[in-house]
Amino acid sequence: MGLDPEEADGHGTLCLHAFSDLTHVSPLVFLYLLKECYIHGSCKATKKFQALQHRVHQVLANNPQPGPSTFIVYCLNLLPVFGVYGEGFSHLVISALRRYFKSASAPASNQEDAASARSLAARLFLAIVGGSVAYDEKVMVNTLKVFDVGLTSIDEALSREGSASSSSGSAFLEEYISELIKSKSFMTAVSLLEHFSFSFPGETFLQQMVEDKDFQAAEKWATFMGRPSLCLLVQEYGSRNMLKQAYNVMKKHYLQHEFPELCYKCKESALKDLVEKACWDVAETKAKGDRQLLEYLVYLAMEAGYYEKVDELCERYSLEGLPKAQEAEVDLVNKCFLHLNDLAVEEVVWVDEVNGLREATSFLEGCKVVGLDCEWKPNYMKGSKPNKVSIMQIGSDSKIFILDLIKLYYDASEILDTCLSQILQSYSTLKLGYNFQCDIKQLALSYGDLKCFKSYDMLLDIQNVFKEPCGGLSGLTKKILGVGLNKTRRNSDWEQRPLTQNQLEYAALDAAVLIHIFRHVRDHPPHDTTLETVQWKSHIVSHMDNPKKSKKKPKCHSTQTSDSTFNKPSSSS
């Protein structure tokens, strides 16, 4: 196996020159050439590994002596001396041998070769356990499996080493596996227990693995032991409220009927996780029309104050009587979240025609600071394009405009482009957003022919002002203002017209709260550890589509902007 510089595209590629006949090639020479091929190969590591595996699989049919299996065991004994290449090449030759065994080109099994390889592999296993050969546990387990090393082979290897009088193969393995369990090498222990068909650890073994969060090893062991152990594992997960793990085991092994209450609890937990991400439509789909789950979903909507969702679900599924419980939840919800009235916003204006757009632009151009946000209908189809941005919220601390982008673009795209360009590219107005780079990208994708979303000036992304993540805008609001935002309507249908009053308030609040957060940032020094802010002026950015035009203004305006511009709130900020 050498390098052929003339093959393919002129780069070094692997070929079969040296190994057309392996009768007189030793394992050491074979491995040396394998290493040279890897070192000098031109492609990336993964592709080199795959190419070498393919070549090794091919050369195993070229009469390696004394046989393919034994030849590979000899290689495994030698590979530790190849240092950093040893472990990777060991996986390579083992996987190549597996592939060779499965291939149609492999000759009928050579019993003598298989027996010799099994004996040598057992001795290699003892050497690895004893520490005289350095291999990781995964290579050790794979060696046992590929050469089908059983208890008899271990007994013979121990006898050959003169250890038969002191320890049988079973006793030796049980002692070694016990040490693995003590050291929390659970997956290796389970693999050996399964390979040698041992079942000596008690029920506490499952508990140990669950406590150590080695769920893969726990399920592998329980699967090997059978249905009773799988049921114990489900019970263990259930008792620890590890509902996701419990449900995965129940579903995979068809145990739902044995744990009906726990199964429902798991489904309710899954719905709650979706609701906390504001994925109400997905949660409704997951309920699959089950009345008990739908009633729980209604309860979650009540708890979140999402009353239009309560009405929607009750009407769609004829869940009579449930809305009466809504009244008991209202006061609790109102106390838990920030509301638009708390910020003294005087007016929320819906804009879906040209005159209203011009009036909004005129007002916003007179503001020193405005908050920006936008919303679009979620799309849960994998691989499909996201929906167009539906609305854009822009406003001061007292007045918020909600622009119906879909209608304005359809009715007057040129005027919309001009008006938004005046606002977004204004050098005299500071624009505040939260993760607005994501929003502006989505706006550009939605309305690719508009120039207004390709350039902006004086933009401050509030999340960049904080050194540590704060749990989204709601978490940041709670940290700064003492109470969070209710985000349950984040993924609602923003393309429906008219929007509900709750949707309008939700949208307006996201823009208005940015101005209040900014005031706290502006009025507190950067060294205030309770806020963990950095110099906010250094994060004001611009992106101008025309490079020549952008040179007229500095990219970061912190040194060009007088402190008086933002230090005191005005009637239009």
Side-chain angles (χ1 to χ4, degrees):
M1 183 180 296
L3 291 171
D4 184 3
E6 296 179 359
E7 190 175 329
D9 58 355
H11 295 290
T13 54
L14 297 171
C15 65
L16 294 174
H17 295 332
F19 290 156
S20 58
D21 181 3
L22 289 185
T23 307
H24 302 293
V25 176
S26 70
L28 184 61
V29 173
F30 172 81
L31 293 173
Y32 174 77
L33 291 174
L34 197 66
K35 187 188 82 167
E36 290 300 302
C37 287
Y38 181 83
I39 292 171
H40 297 290
S42 59
C43 49
K44 292 183 179 179
T46 302
K47 288 195 173 183
K48 279 198 283 189
F49 184 93
Q50 292 170 346
L52 284 169
Q53 183 196 54
H54 176 68
R55 294 309 190 195
V56 174
H57 162 249
Q58 287 185 319
V59 301
L60 286 176
N62 293 337
N63 199 28
Q65 294 300 310
S69 298
T70 306
F71 186 83
I72 293 298
V73 180
Y74 286 151
C75 290
L76 290 171
N77 275 282
L78 290 167
L79 274 170
V81 303
F82 282 78
V84 294
Y85 300 99
E87 187 176 322
F89 282 1
S90 66
H91 289 293
L92 188 152
V93 297
I94 288 174
S95 62
L97 184 63
R98 278 205 190 100
R99 185 176 172 186
Y100 171 75
F101 286 153
K102 293 177 181 178
S103 67
S105 60
S109 178
N110 184 326
Q111 295 298 325
E112 185 178 347
D113 177 41
S116 173
R118 192 177 300 114
S119 176
L120 289 169
R123 290 161 64 185
L124 176 60
F125 169 73
L126 294 182
I128 295 171
V129 172
S132 59
V133 175
Y135 266 130
D136 71 0
E137 294 170 351
K138 191 173 180 180
V139 173
M140 176 185 71
V141 171
N142 287 339
T143 299
L144 292 174
K145 289 181 178 179
V146 76
F147 297 106
D148 194 24
V149 177
L151 272 175
T152 302
S153 300
I154 299 298
D155 282 327
E156 290 173 356
L158 287 169
S159 177
R160 189 182 291 268
E161 289 188 357
S163 305
S165 59
S166 59
S167 177
S168 67
S170 295
F172 174 84
L173 287 166
E174 287 185 13
E175 183 180 352
Y176 177 57
I177 292 170
S178 296
E179 290 299 319
L180 288 171
I181 293 171
K182 287 179 184 178
S183 64
K184 297 186 177 181
S185 295
F186 295 124
M187 184 55 80
T188 303
V190 168
S191 297
L192 292 177
L193 288 165
E194 186 180 45
H195 181 75
F196 291 106
S197 298
F198 288 162
S199 58
F200 66 85
E203 291 182 12
T204 56
F205 184 39
L206 268 180
Q207 295 173 355
Q208 283 180 270
M209 289 185 281
V210 172
E211 284 175 4
D212 206 55
K213 297 183 179 180
D214 197 339
F215 307 132
Q216 190 178 0
E219 186 176 350
K220 183 179 175 71
W221 171 244
T223 304
F224 169 67
M225 293 298 291
R227 197 174 185 86
S229 291
L230 285 166
C231 290
L232 284 174
L233 181 59
V234 171
Q235 290 170 356
E236 188 68 27
Y237 284 145
S239 67
R240 296 170 186 267
N241 207 36
M242 301 169 73
L243 302 179
K244 185 176 180 180
Q245 288 80 6
Y247 187 71
N248 287 340
V249 174
M250 285 190 287
K251 187 176 179 181
K252 186 175 179 180
H253 300 280
Y254 307 103
L255 300 172
Q256 295 98 319
H257 294 298
E258 299 194 28
F259 300 95
E261 292 183 9
L262 181 58
C263 190
Y264 258 99
K265 189 177 179 181
C266 292
K267 289 179 179 179
E268 288 179 348
S269 176
L271 291 184
K272 188 173 183 180
D273 288 342
L274 288 168
V275 163
E276 287 174 352
K277 297 173 185 175
C279 298
W280 291 92
D281 292 344
V282 178
E284 184 181 344
T285 302
K286 291 284 186 184
K288 296 180 179 179
D290 185 291
R291 185 177 178 86
Q292 184 176 340
L293 293 177
L294 288 167
E295 288 179 354
Y296 180 68
L297 195 56
V298 169
Y299 166 77
L300 292 175
M302 289 178 184
E303 193 176 52
Y306 196 175
Y307 305 127
E308 59 265 43
K309 179 61 70 174
V310 172
D311 295 338
E312 178 188 326
L313 291 170
C314 287
E315 183 178 348
R316 184 177 298 148
Y317 298 101
S318 302
L319 304 175
E320 298 176 1
L322 289 177
K324 294 179 181 178
Q326 176 179 320
E327 297 176 4
E329 302 287 345
V330 172
D331 291 338
L332 176 64
V333 172
N334 287 341
K335 293 175 183 177
C336 292
F337 298 110
L338 187 71
H339 293 271
L340 201 59
N341 292 338
D342 300 330
L343 300 182
V345 174
E346 298 171 5
E347 190 176 6
V348 177
V349 182
W350 176 257
V351 179
D352 63 357
E353 44 83 29
V354 170
N355 288 337
L357 178 61
R358 286 179 172 147
E359 289 176 8
T361 303
S362 177
F363 177 88
L364 293 168
E365 283 186 302
C367 298
K368 293 179 180 177
V369 183
V370 297
L372 297 173
D373 194 25
C374 54
E375 311 292 343
W376 58 91
K377 182 180 179 180
N379 189 341
Y380 300 112
M381 295 291 291
K382 287 185 178 180
S384 59
K385 291 182 180 180
N387 291 312
K388 275 192 172 189
V389 176
S390 179
I391 62 170
M392 187 174 189
Q393 310 95 275
I394 315 177
S396 67
D397 58 349
S398 61
K399 192 172 186 177
I400 307 295
F401 297 92
I402 301 179
L403 311 186
D404 185 348
L405 292 182
I406 293 176
K407 187 173 186 298
L408 289 168
Y409 176 77
Y410 182 80
D411 291 346
S413 62
E414 291 185 5
I415 297 174
L416 176 66
D417 199 5
T418 300
C419 289
L420 288 180
S421 292
Q422 288 175 227
I423 298 167
L424 294 176
Q425 296 171 23
S426 170
Y427 179 59
S428 61
T429 302
L430 178 65
K431 276 76 67 176
L432 306 173
Y434 190 89
N435 193 23
F436 199 71
Q437 295 289 349
C438 173
D439 289 347
I440 203 76
K441 181 179 178 181
Q442 190 61 35
L443 285 162
L445 287 172
S446 299
Y447 305 99
D449 57 330
L450 299 187
K451 296 178 182 178
C452 59
F453 299 129
K454 297 176 182 177
S455 304
Y456 51 82
D457 207 350
M458 292 294 290
L459 175 66
L460 176 61
D461 195 327
I462 288 293
Q463 74 167 347
N464 294 335
V465 176
F466 292 82
K467 297 176 183 177
E468 299 293 335
C470 301
L473 182 57
S474 178
L476 180 59
T477 303
K478 186 172 184 179
K479 186 172 184 178
I480 301 297
L481 304 182
V483 61
L485 302 174
N486 187 343
K487 305 299 288 184
T488 55
R489 293 174 181 83
R490 179 180 61 196
N491 290 332
S492 59
D493 185 357
W494 293 102
E495 292 183 3
Q496 70 175 358
R497 296 292 183 268
L499 295 179
T500 66
Q501 185 61 32
N502 284 320
Q503 282 180 302
L504 291 172
E505 290 184 5
Y506 171 95
L509 187 59
D510 271 7
V513 77
L514 290 169
I515 298 172
H516 288 263
I517 291 173
F518 168 70
R519 285 178 177 172
H520 279 261
V521 171
R522 180 194 61 193
D523 297 339
H524 287 77
H527 61 268
D528 187 337
T529 55
T530 61
L531 293 176
E532 296 182 339
T533 62
V534 295
Q535 287 284 357
W536 61 269
K537 291 183 182 180
S538 66
H539 287 276
I540 298 176
V541 297
S542 67
H543 175 78
M544 307 306 289
D545 200 40
N546 185 343
K548 292 182 180 179
K549 184 178 179 181
S550 66
K551 287 181 180 178
K552 295 179 182 179
K553 300 174 185 176
K555 188 171 185 179
C556 176
H557 304 286
S558 60
T559 58
Q560 305 294 324
T561 307
S562 65
D563 287 345
S564 61
T565 305
F566 305 118
N567 278 353
K568 293 181 181 179
S570 67
S571 59
S572 59
S573 67

